[in-house]
Amino acid sequence: GAVVSQHPSWVICKSGTSVKIECRSLDFQATTMFWYRQFPKQSLMLMATSNEGSKATYEQGVEKDKFLINHASLTLSTLTVTSAHPEDSSFYICSARVPFGSLGYTFGSGTRLTVV
Amino acid sequence: QKEVEQDPGPLSVPEGAIVSLNCTYSNSAFQYFMWYRQYSRKGPELLMYTYSSGNKEDGRFTAQVDKSSKYISLFIRDSQPSDSATYLCAMGSSGSARQLTFGSGTQLTVLP
C-alpha cells in the first residue's frame, strides 16, 4: 500500500517549452504532497508543498511562476515547469505523507527532466 | 550550519560487512527520524521509521536514535551487493506537517 505513481519517468524538451509532471496517490488520499528537486549526488531540496484545493506553498528562492503546482483532487498533484531552460534540468520527485500506520512519507519514482 | 549533517561518502565495503551510516542534527524540535534508500535515478524508498530514542530492528537493518546527542545511525548487517545505493536520513517534527529535512545522502557500494 501507500503508493505514489509519478510520470513521466523521464522527459526531454526544448528550451522555452513547458513540461507537466503528474503524481497520483493510488491507494490513499493525499491532502498534501511535496515536490522536491535533486541534483546529481545531492540531497532532496524541497521546492513546494501542494495542498488539495488551495494554493501551494513555495520555499524561498523557488519561482512560483516558473514551477506551477496544481492539486485539484485528493489523489493528483501536478508540477508544470514553464518556459523551461537548461538550468531547470534536474530530477524532480514528489512525496506524500502516508495517513495511516507509521509508514512516514512515500515517494514517487521521480522524473528526469532534460532541457535542450 | 546545516540542520542535518550526513557524511556523503562514498563508502565501499566488502559483501558481508557491517555498515554504519550516521547523521547529526541541530534542531531539537525533530521528533521522528527516517532512513531512506535511493537507487540511481529512482525515488527514495522508506527503510526505517522511528520516533523515540533507542534501537529499532528490522531484518538486517537497525536504526538507532540518540536524541540527547542529536545523533542517528543506521546499521546494515551482512551487507549485500543489492544494498548498494544512496542512503538518506530524514527527520521532521510533529508540529509541522510541511516537510522532512534530509541529509545529503551517503553513497554505499557493497563489493561482491
PDB file of all heavy atoms in Angstrom, chain A residues 41, chain B residues 7-21 37-40 76 78-87 105-112:
ATOM      1  N   LYS A  41      24.068  13.521  -7.088  1.00  0.00           N
ATOM      2  CA  LYS A  41      24.842  13.291  -5.868  1.00  0.00           C
ATOM      3  C   LYS A  41      24.549  14.318  -4.782  1.00  0.00           C
ATOM      4  O   LYS A  41      25.382  14.582  -3.923  1.00  0.00           O
ATOM      5  CB  LYS A  41      26.342  13.251  -6.183  1.00  0.00           C
ATOM      6  CG  LYS A  41      26.709  12.121  -7.143  1.00  0.00           C
ATOM      7  CD  LYS A  41      28.198  11.971  -7.295  1.00  0.00           C
ATOM      8  CE  LYS A  41      28.500  10.798  -8.232  1.00  0.00           C
ATOM      9  NZ  LYS A  41      29.951  10.556  -8.374  1.00  0.00           N
TER      10      LYS A  41
ATOM     11  N   ASP B   7      27.559  12.341   6.354  1.00  0.00           N
ATOM     12  CA  ASP B   7      28.797  12.097   5.612  1.00  0.00           C
ATOM     13  C   ASP B   7      28.431  11.568   4.226  1.00  0.00           C
ATOM     14  O   ASP B   7      27.786  10.533   4.118  1.00  0.00           O
ATOM     15  CB  ASP B   7      29.650  11.064   6.359  1.00  0.00           C
ATOM     16  CG  ASP B   7      31.015  10.868   5.722  1.00  0.00           C
ATOM     17  OD1 ASP B   7      31.194  11.263   4.544  1.00  0.00           O
ATOM     18  OD2 ASP B   7      31.903  10.321   6.394  1.00  0.00           O
ATOM     19  N   PRO B   8      28.827  12.266   3.183  1.00  0.00           N
ATOM     20  CA  PRO B   8      28.414  11.868   1.830  1.00  0.00           C
ATOM     21  C   PRO B   8      29.105  10.634   1.294  1.00  0.00           C
ATOM     22  O   PRO B   8      28.686  10.065   0.288  1.00  0.00           O
ATOM     23  CB  PRO B   8      28.762  13.092   0.993  1.00  0.00           C
ATOM     24  CG  PRO B   8      29.903  13.719   1.720  1.00  0.00           C
ATOM     25  CD  PRO B   8      29.634  13.491   3.178  1.00  0.00           C
ATOM     26  N   GLY B   9      30.189  10.200   1.989  1.00  0.00           N
ATOM     27  CA  GLY B   9      30.926   9.067   1.456  1.00  0.00           C
ATOM     28  C   GLY B   9      31.759   9.489   0.244  1.00  0.00           C
ATOM     29  O   GLY B   9      32.218  10.626   0.200  1.00  0.00           O
ATOM     30  N   PRO B  10      31.964   8.641  -0.762  1.00  0.00           N
ATOM     31  CA  PRO B  10      31.357   7.332  -0.886  1.00  0.00           C
ATOM     32  C   PRO B  10      31.975   6.310   0.061  1.00  0.00           C
ATOM     33  O   PRO B  10      33.103   6.463   0.481  1.00  0.00           O
ATOM     34  CB  PRO B  10      31.622   6.964  -2.335  1.00  0.00           C
ATOM     35  CG  PRO B  10      32.876   7.700  -2.687  1.00  0.00           C
ATOM     36  CD  PRO B  10      32.838   8.974  -1.897  1.00  0.00           C
ATOM     37  N   LEU B  11      31.188   5.302   0.384  1.00  0.00           N
ATOM     38  CA  LEU B  11      31.594   4.248   1.289  1.00  0.00           C
ATOM     39  C   LEU B  11      31.576   2.936   0.515  1.00  0.00           C
ATOM     40  O   LEU B  11      30.582   2.608  -0.125  1.00  0.00           O
ATOM     41  CB  LEU B  11      30.615   4.187   2.475  1.00  0.00           C
ATOM     42  CG  LEU B  11      30.862   3.191   3.585  1.00  0.00           C
ATOM     43  CD1 LEU B  11      32.190   3.500   4.262  1.00  0.00           C
ATOM     44  CD2 LEU B  11      29.715   3.259   4.598  1.00  0.00           C
ATOM     45  N   SER B  12      32.675   2.229   0.573  1.00  0.00           N
ATOM     46  CA  SER B  12      32.795   0.969  -0.144  1.00  0.00           C
ATOM     47  C   SER B  12      33.180  -0.123   0.838  1.00  0.00           C
ATOM     48  O   SER B  12      34.168   0.028   1.565  1.00  0.00           O
ATOM     49  CB  SER B  12      33.855   1.110  -1.246  1.00  0.00           C
ATOM     50  OG  SER B  12      33.921  -0.053  -2.025  1.00  0.00           O
ATOM     51  N   VAL B  13      32.400  -1.215   0.866  1.00  0.00           N
ATOM     52  CA  VAL B  13      32.658  -2.287   1.815  1.00  0.00           C
ATOM     53  C   VAL B  13      32.552  -3.628   1.106  1.00  0.00           C
ATOM     54  O   VAL B  13      31.889  -3.750   0.075  1.00  0.00           O
ATOM     55  CB  VAL B  13      31.660  -2.258   2.998  1.00  0.00           C
ATOM     56  CG1 VAL B  13      31.733  -0.925   3.735  1.00  0.00           C
ATOM     57  CG2 VAL B  13      30.239  -2.540   2.537  1.00  0.00           C
ATOM     58  N   PRO B  14      33.191  -4.668   1.654  1.00  0.00           N
ATOM     59  CA  PRO B  14      33.040  -5.996   1.056  1.00  0.00           C
ATOM     60  C   PRO B  14      31.723  -6.628   1.485  1.00  0.00           C
ATOM     61  O   PRO B  14      31.157  -6.292   2.537  1.00  0.00           O
ATOM     62  CB  PRO B  14      34.233  -6.765   1.647  1.00  0.00           C
ATOM     63  CG  PRO B  14      34.511  -6.095   2.945  1.00  0.00           C
ATOM     64  CD  PRO B  14      34.175  -4.643   2.746  1.00  0.00           C
ATOM     65  N   GLU B  15      31.233  -7.514   0.678  1.00  0.00           N
ATOM     66  CA  GLU B  15      29.995  -8.228   0.986  1.00  0.00           C
ATOM     67  C   GLU B  15      30.114  -8.913   2.348  1.00  0.00           C
ATOM     68  O   GLU B  15      31.150  -9.501   2.678  1.00  0.00           O
ATOM     69  CB  GLU B  15      29.723  -9.274  -0.098  1.00  0.00           C
ATOM     70  CG  GLU B  15      28.438 -10.041   0.080  1.00  0.00           C
ATOM     71  CD  GLU B  15      28.160 -10.961  -1.103  1.00  0.00           C
ATOM     72  OE1 GLU B  15      28.925 -10.927  -2.084  1.00  0.00           O
ATOM     73  OE2 GLU B  15      27.163 -11.705  -1.048  1.00  0.00           O
ATOM     74  N   GLY B  16      29.045  -8.827   3.142  1.00  0.00           N
ATOM     75  CA  GLY B  16      29.043  -9.437   4.464  1.00  0.00           C
ATOM     76  C   GLY B  16      29.452  -8.496   5.580  1.00  0.00           C
ATOM     77  O   GLY B  16      29.278  -8.817   6.760  1.00  0.00           O
ATOM     78  N   ALA B  17      29.986  -7.347   5.228  1.00  0.00           N
ATOM     79  CA  ALA B  17      30.441  -6.397   6.245  1.00  0.00           C
ATOM     80  C   ALA B  17      29.253  -5.743   6.950  1.00  0.00           C
ATOM     81  O   ALA B  17      28.132  -5.736   6.448  1.00  0.00           O
ATOM     82  CB  ALA B  17      31.320  -5.324   5.600  1.00  0.00           C
ATOM     83  N   ILE B  18      29.543  -5.207   8.126  1.00  0.00           N
ATOM     84  CA  ILE B  18      28.559  -4.388   8.834  1.00  0.00           C
ATOM     85  C   ILE B  18      28.798  -2.940   8.433  1.00  0.00           C
ATOM     86  O   ILE B  18      29.922  -2.444   8.500  1.00  0.00           O
ATOM     87  CB  ILE B  18      28.697  -4.547  10.361  1.00  0.00           C
ATOM     88  CG1 ILE B  18      28.390  -5.992  10.774  1.00  0.00           C
ATOM     89  CG2 ILE B  18      27.757  -3.574  11.080  1.00  0.00           C
ATOM     90  CD1 ILE B  18      28.624  -6.262  12.253  1.00  0.00           C
ATOM     91  N   VAL B  19      27.731  -2.289   8.025  1.00  0.00           N
ATOM     92  CA  VAL B  19      27.828  -0.898   7.584  1.00  0.00           C
ATOM     93  C   VAL B  19      27.186   0.000   8.628  1.00  0.00           C
ATOM     94  O   VAL B  19      26.117  -0.310   9.167  1.00  0.00           O
ATOM     95  CB  VAL B  19      27.106  -0.708   6.227  1.00  0.00           C
ATOM     96  CG1 VAL B  19      27.128   0.752   5.813  1.00  0.00           C
ATOM     97  CG2 VAL B  19      27.738  -1.585   5.161  1.00  0.00           C
ATOM     98  N   SER B  20      27.835   1.101   8.897  1.00  0.00           N
ATOM     99  CA  SER B  20      27.299   2.093   9.824  1.00  0.00           C
ATOM    100  C   SER B  20      27.160   3.424   9.106  1.00  0.00           C
ATOM    101  O   SER B  20      28.140   3.960   8.579  1.00  0.00           O
ATOM    102  CB  SER B  20      28.243   2.240  11.025  1.00  0.00           C
ATOM    103  OG  SER B  20      27.833   3.322  11.851  1.00  0.00           O
ATOM    104  N   LEU B  21      25.953   3.930   9.060  1.00  0.00           N
ATOM    105  CA  LEU B  21      25.679   5.224   8.426  1.00  0.00           C
ATOM    106  C   LEU B  21      25.152   6.160   9.509  1.00  0.00           C
ATOM    107  O   LEU B  21      24.364   5.755  10.364  1.00  0.00           O
ATOM    108  CB  LEU B  21      24.632   5.055   7.320  1.00  0.00           C
ATOM    109  CG  LEU B  21      24.976   4.009   6.259  1.00  0.00           C
ATOM    110  CD1 LEU B  21      23.763   3.730   5.383  1.00  0.00           C
ATOM    111  CD2 LEU B  21      26.140   4.493   5.412  1.00  0.00           C
ATOM    112  N   ARG B  37      16.356   4.627   1.312  1.00  0.00           N
ATOM    113  CA  ARG B  37      17.337   4.099   0.368  1.00  0.00           C
ATOM    114  C   ARG B  37      16.916   4.579  -1.018  1.00  0.00           C
ATOM    115  O   ARG B  37      15.755   4.504  -1.392  1.00  0.00           O
ATOM    116  CB  ARG B  37      17.345   2.564   0.413  1.00  0.00           C
ATOM    117  CG  ARG B  37      18.284   1.898  -0.569  1.00  0.00           C
ATOM    118  CD  ARG B  37      18.322   0.404  -0.336  1.00  0.00           C
ATOM    119  NE  ARG B  37      17.016  -0.206  -0.532  1.00  0.00           N
ATOM    120  CZ  ARG B  37      16.688  -1.423  -0.100  1.00  0.00           C
ATOM    121  NH1 ARG B  37      17.581  -2.151   0.556  1.00  0.00           N
ATOM    122  NH2 ARG B  37      15.493  -1.912  -0.318  1.00  0.00           N
ATOM    123  N   GLN B  38      17.896   5.065  -1.773  1.00  0.00           N
ATOM    124  CA  GLN B  38      17.607   5.563  -3.112  1.00  0.00           C
ATOM    125  C   GLN B  38      18.565   4.936  -4.101  1.00  0.00           C
ATOM    126  O   GLN B  38      19.777   5.156  -4.033  1.00  0.00           O
ATOM    127  CB  GLN B  38      17.704   7.094  -3.162  1.00  0.00           C
ATOM    128  CG  GLN B  38      17.295   7.681  -4.494  1.00  0.00           C
ATOM    129  CD  GLN B  38      17.330   9.198  -4.513  1.00  0.00           C
ATOM    130  OE1 GLN B  38      18.049   9.835  -3.741  1.00  0.00           O
ATOM    131  NE2 GLN B  38      16.555   9.803  -5.398  1.00  0.00           N
ATOM    132  N   TYR B  39      18.006   4.166  -5.020  1.00  0.00           N
ATOM    133  CA  TYR B  39      18.809   3.642  -6.109  1.00  0.00           C
ATOM    134  C   TYR B  39      18.920   4.722  -7.177  1.00  0.00           C
ATOM    135  O   TYR B  39      18.106   5.637  -7.244  1.00  0.00           O
ATOM    136  CB  TYR B  39      18.178   2.374  -6.684  1.00  0.00           C
ATOM    137  CG  TYR B  39      18.220   1.203  -5.738  1.00  0.00           C
ATOM    138  CD1 TYR B  39      17.056   0.701  -5.159  1.00  0.00           C
ATOM    139  CD2 TYR B  39      19.427   0.584  -5.405  1.00  0.00           C
ATOM    140  CE1 TYR B  39      17.086  -0.371  -4.284  1.00  0.00           C
ATOM    141  CE2 TYR B  39      19.471  -0.478  -4.527  1.00  0.00           C
ATOM    142  CZ  TYR B  39      18.298  -0.952  -3.967  1.00  0.00           C
ATOM    143  OH  TYR B  39      18.335  -2.008  -3.094  1.00  0.00           O
ATOM    144  N   SER B  40      19.913   4.572  -8.033  1.00  0.00           N
ATOM    145  CA  SER B  40      20.180   5.599  -9.030  1.00  0.00           C
ATOM    146  C   SER B  40      18.954   5.861  -9.897  1.00  0.00           C
ATOM    147  O   SER B  40      18.322   4.934 -10.397  1.00  0.00           O
ATOM    148  CB  SER B  40      21.357   5.147  -9.899  1.00  0.00           C
ATOM    149  OG  SER B  40      21.657   6.106 -10.866  1.00  0.00           O
ATOM    150  N   ILE B  76      23.660  -1.784   8.892  1.00  0.00           N
ATOM    151  CA  ILE B  76      23.274  -2.844   7.972  1.00  0.00           C
ATOM    152  C   ILE B  76      24.186  -4.032   8.242  1.00  0.00           C
ATOM    153  O   ILE B  76      25.414  -3.928   8.095  1.00  0.00           O
ATOM    154  CB  ILE B  76      23.416  -2.413   6.497  1.00  0.00           C
ATOM    155  CG1 ILE B  76      22.663  -1.101   6.243  1.00  0.00           C
ATOM    156  CG2 ILE B  76      22.889  -3.511   5.567  1.00  0.00           C
ATOM    157  CD1 ILE B  76      22.882  -0.534   4.838  1.00  0.00           C
ATOM    158  N   ASP B  78      25.464  -8.005   7.526  1.00  0.00           N
ATOM    159  CA  ASP B  78      25.580  -8.936   6.401  1.00  0.00           C
ATOM    160  C   ASP B  78      25.251  -8.224   5.085  1.00  0.00           C
ATOM    161  O   ASP B  78      24.339  -8.628   4.340  1.00  0.00           O
ATOM    162  CB  ASP B  78      24.648 -10.134   6.616  1.00  0.00           C
ATOM    163  CG  ASP B  78      24.850 -11.225   5.582  1.00  0.00           C
ATOM    164  OD1 ASP B  78      25.959 -11.304   5.009  1.00  0.00           O
ATOM    165  OD2 ASP B  78      23.891 -11.991   5.337  1.00  0.00           O
ATOM    166  N   SER B  79      25.947  -7.152   4.831  1.00  0.00           N
ATOM    167  CA  SER B  79      25.631  -6.322   3.662  1.00  0.00           C
ATOM    168  C   SER B  79      25.749  -7.128   2.365  1.00  0.00           C
ATOM    169  O   SER B  79      26.590  -8.029   2.235  1.00  0.00           O
ATOM    170  CB  SER B  79      26.540  -5.099   3.629  1.00  0.00           C
ATOM    171  OG  SER B  79      27.901  -5.486   3.664  1.00  0.00           O
ATOM    172  N   GLN B  80      24.872  -6.790   1.441  1.00  0.00           N
ATOM    173  CA  GLN B  80      24.789  -7.470   0.156  1.00  0.00           C
ATOM    174  C   GLN B  80      25.034  -6.478  -0.983  1.00  0.00           C
ATOM    175  O   GLN B  80      24.767  -5.288  -0.829  1.00  0.00           O
ATOM    176  CB  GLN B  80      23.405  -8.093  -0.014  1.00  0.00           C
ATOM    177  CG  GLN B  80      22.999  -9.061   1.098  1.00  0.00           C
ATOM    178  CD  GLN B  80      23.891 -10.296   1.095  1.00  0.00           C
ATOM    179  OE1 GLN B  80      24.084 -10.924   0.052  1.00  0.00           O
ATOM    180  NE2 GLN B  80      24.422 -10.637   2.259  1.00  0.00           N
ATOM    181  N   PRO B  81      25.481  -6.954  -2.130  1.00  0.00           N
ATOM    182  CA  PRO B  81      25.643  -6.041  -3.276  1.00  0.00           C
ATOM    183  C   PRO B  81      24.363  -5.284  -3.606  1.00  0.00           C
ATOM    184  O   PRO B  81      24.412  -4.140  -4.060  1.00  0.00           O
ATOM    185  CB  PRO B  81      26.058  -6.984  -4.409  1.00  0.00           C
ATOM    186  CG  PRO B  81      26.796  -8.081  -3.714  1.00  0.00           C
ATOM    187  CD  PRO B  81      26.050  -8.290  -2.418  1.00  0.00           C
ATOM    188  N   SER B  82      23.220  -5.901  -3.354  1.00  0.00           N
ATOM    189  CA  SER B  82      21.943  -5.235  -3.624  1.00  0.00           C
ATOM    190  C   SER B  82      21.666  -4.076  -2.669  1.00  0.00           C
ATOM    191  O   SER B  82      20.743  -3.284  -2.899  1.00  0.00           O
ATOM    192  CB  SER B  82      20.787  -6.237  -3.538  1.00  0.00           C
ATOM    193  OG  SER B  82      20.768  -6.842  -2.252  1.00  0.00           O
ATOM    194  N   ASP B  83      22.474  -3.971  -1.617  1.00  0.00           N
ATOM    195  CA  ASP B  83      22.349  -2.828  -0.704  1.00  0.00           C
ATOM    196  C   ASP B  83      23.046  -1.588  -1.256  1.00  0.00           C
ATOM    197  O   ASP B  83      22.936  -0.498  -0.682  1.00  0.00           O
ATOM    198  CB  ASP B  83      22.958  -3.162   0.669  1.00  0.00           C
ATOM    199  CG  ASP B  83      22.212  -4.262   1.399  1.00  0.00           C
ATOM    200  OD1 ASP B  83      20.976  -4.369   1.216  1.00  0.00           O
ATOM    201  OD2 ASP B  83      22.866  -5.031   2.138  1.00  0.00           O
ATOM    202  N   SER B  84      23.772  -1.749  -2.351  1.00  0.00           N
ATOM    203  CA  SER B  84      24.472  -0.609  -2.942  1.00  0.00           C
ATOM    204  C   SER B  84      23.467   0.436  -3.406  1.00  0.00           C
ATOM    205  O   SER B  84      22.628   0.170  -4.266  1.00  0.00           O
ATOM    206  CB  SER B  84      25.330  -1.075  -4.132  1.00  0.00           C
ATOM    207  OG  SER B  84      26.304  -2.008  -3.706  1.00  0.00           O
ATOM    208  N   ALA B  85      23.548   1.604  -2.823  1.00  0.00           N
ATOM    209  CA  ALA B  85      22.575   2.673  -3.091  1.00  0.00           C
ATOM    210  C   ALA B  85      23.030   3.901  -2.320  1.00  0.00           C
ATOM    211  O   ALA B  85      24.052   3.880  -1.628  1.00  0.00           O
ATOM    212  CB  ALA B  85      21.176   2.254  -2.643  1.00  0.00           C
ATOM    213  N   THR B  86      22.251   4.943  -2.425  1.00  0.00           N
ATOM    214  CA  THR B  86      22.467   6.126  -1.587  1.00  0.00           C
ATOM    215  C   THR B  86      21.464   6.078  -0.443  1.00  0.00           C
ATOM    216  O   THR B  86      20.280   5.825  -0.656  1.00  0.00           O
ATOM    217  CB  THR B  86      22.285   7.416  -2.394  1.00  0.00           C
ATOM    218  OG1 THR B  86      23.312   7.472  -3.401  1.00  0.00           O
ATOM    219  CG2 THR B  86      22.408   8.640  -1.498  1.00  0.00           C
ATOM    220  N   TYR B  87      21.947   6.292   0.759  1.00  0.00           N
ATOM    221  CA  TYR B  87      21.103   6.249   1.944  1.00  0.00           C
ATOM    222  C   TYR B  87      20.932   7.668   2.489  1.00  0.00           C
ATOM    223  O   TYR B  87      21.901   8.377   2.721  1.00  0.00           O
ATOM    224  CB  TYR B  87      21.713   5.324   3.000  1.00  0.00           C
ATOM    225  CG  TYR B  87      21.645   3.881   2.576  1.00  0.00           C
ATOM    226  CD1 TYR B  87      22.560   3.360   1.680  1.00  0.00           C
ATOM    227  CD2 TYR B  87      20.626   3.050   3.025  1.00  0.00           C
ATOM    228  CE1 TYR B  87      22.477   2.047   1.239  1.00  0.00           C
ATOM    229  CE2 TYR B  87      20.535   1.733   2.607  1.00  0.00           C
ATOM    230  CZ  TYR B  87      21.465   1.249   1.706  1.00  0.00           C
ATOM    231  OH  TYR B  87      21.368  -0.051   1.277  1.00  0.00           O
ATOM    232  N   GLY B 105      22.846  12.483   2.051  1.00  0.00           N
ATOM    233  CA  GLY B 105      22.932  11.141   1.489  1.00  0.00           C
ATOM    234  C   GLY B 105      24.337  10.581   1.543  1.00  0.00           C
ATOM    235  O   GLY B 105      25.313  11.308   1.361  1.00  0.00           O
ATOM    236  N   THR B 106      24.437   9.283   1.807  1.00  0.00           N
ATOM    237  CA  THR B 106      25.718   8.570   1.777  1.00  0.00           C
ATOM    238  C   THR B 106      25.640   7.513   0.693  1.00  0.00           C
ATOM    239  O   THR B 106      24.744   6.665   0.700  1.00  0.00           O
ATOM    240  CB  THR B 106      26.021   7.892   3.121  1.00  0.00           C
ATOM    241  OG1 THR B 106      26.083   8.875   4.148  1.00  0.00           O
ATOM    242  CG2 THR B 106      27.352   7.139   3.052  1.00  0.00           C
ATOM    243  N   GLN B 107      26.591   7.577  -0.217  1.00  0.00           N
ATOM    244  CA  GLN B 107      26.624   6.600  -1.306  1.00  0.00           C
ATOM    245  C   GLN B 107      27.378   5.357  -0.845  1.00  0.00           C
ATOM    246  O   GLN B 107      28.540   5.435  -0.465  1.00  0.00           O
ATOM    247  CB  GLN B 107      27.305   7.211  -2.522  1.00  0.00           C
ATOM    248  CG  GLN B 107      27.272   6.344  -3.753  1.00  0.00           C
ATOM    249  CD  GLN B 107      27.931   7.013  -4.948  1.00  0.00           C
ATOM    250  OE1 GLN B 107      28.193   8.225  -4.937  1.00  0.00           O
ATOM    251  NE2 GLN B 107      28.216   6.246  -5.971  1.00  0.00           N
ATOM    252  N   LEU B 108      26.699   4.224  -0.860  1.00  0.00           N
ATOM    253  CA  LEU B 108      27.269   2.964  -0.389  1.00  0.00           C
ATOM    254  C   LEU B 108      27.433   1.992  -1.550  1.00  0.00           C
ATOM    255  O   LEU B 108      26.515   1.798  -2.350  1.00  0.00           O
ATOM    256  CB  LEU B 108      26.366   2.331   0.671  1.00  0.00           C
ATOM    257  CG  LEU B 108      26.708   0.900   1.105  1.00  0.00           C
ATOM    258  CD1 LEU B 108      28.039   0.880   1.867  1.00  0.00           C
ATOM    259  CD2 LEU B 108      25.599   0.308   1.964  1.00  0.00           C
ATOM    260  N   THR B 109      28.587   1.369  -1.622  1.00  0.00           N
ATOM    261  CA  THR B 109      28.830   0.294  -2.582  1.00  0.00           C
ATOM    262  C   THR B 109      29.269  -0.944  -1.816  1.00  0.00           C
ATOM    263  O   THR B 109      30.222  -0.875  -1.027  1.00  0.00           O
ATOM    264  CB  THR B 109      29.913   0.674  -3.606  1.00  0.00           C
ATOM    265  OG1 THR B 109      29.501   1.837  -4.317  1.00  0.00           O
ATOM    266  CG2 THR B 109      30.121  -0.468  -4.603  1.00  0.00           C
ATOM    267  N   VAL B 110      28.568  -2.041  -2.022  1.00  0.00           N
ATOM    268  CA  VAL B 110      28.944  -3.307  -1.401  1.00  0.00           C
ATOM    269  C   VAL B 110      29.540  -4.185  -2.492  1.00  0.00           C
ATOM    270  O   VAL B 110      28.866  -4.536  -3.471  1.00  0.00           O
ATOM    271  CB  VAL B 110      27.730  -4.008  -0.756  1.00  0.00           C
ATOM    272  CG1 VAL B 110      28.174  -5.316  -0.107  1.00  0.00           C
ATOM    273  CG2 VAL B 110      27.072  -3.098   0.274  1.00  0.00           C
ATOM    274  N   LEU B 111      30.790  -4.516  -2.320  1.00  0.00           N
ATOM    275  CA  LEU B 111      31.522  -5.249  -3.343  1.00  0.00           C
ATOM    276  C   LEU B 111      31.345  -6.752  -3.160  1.00  0.00           C
ATOM    277  O   LEU B 111      31.492  -7.261  -2.051  1.00  0.00           O
ATOM    278  CB  LEU B 111      33.008  -4.894  -3.269  1.00  0.00           C
ATOM    279  CG  LEU B 111      33.328  -3.412  -3.436  1.00  0.00           C
ATOM    280  CD1 LEU B 111      34.795  -3.138  -3.112  1.00  0.00           C
ATOM    281  CD2 LEU B 111      32.993  -2.965  -4.851  1.00  0.00           C
ATOM    282  N   PRO B 112      31.033  -7.477  -4.246  1.00  0.00           N
ATOM    283  CA  PRO B 112      30.850  -8.939  -4.128  1.00  0.00           C
ATOM    284  C   PRO B 112      32.179  -9.640  -3.901  1.00  0.00           C
ATOM    285  O   PRO B 112      33.235  -9.110  -4.182  1.00  0.00           O
ATOM    286  CB  PRO B 112      30.225  -9.328  -5.467  1.00  0.00           C
ATOM    287  CG  PRO B 112      30.577  -8.236  -6.402  1.00  0.00           C
ATOM    288  CD  PRO B 112      30.723  -6.974  -5.587  1.00  0.00           C
TER     289      PRO B 112
END
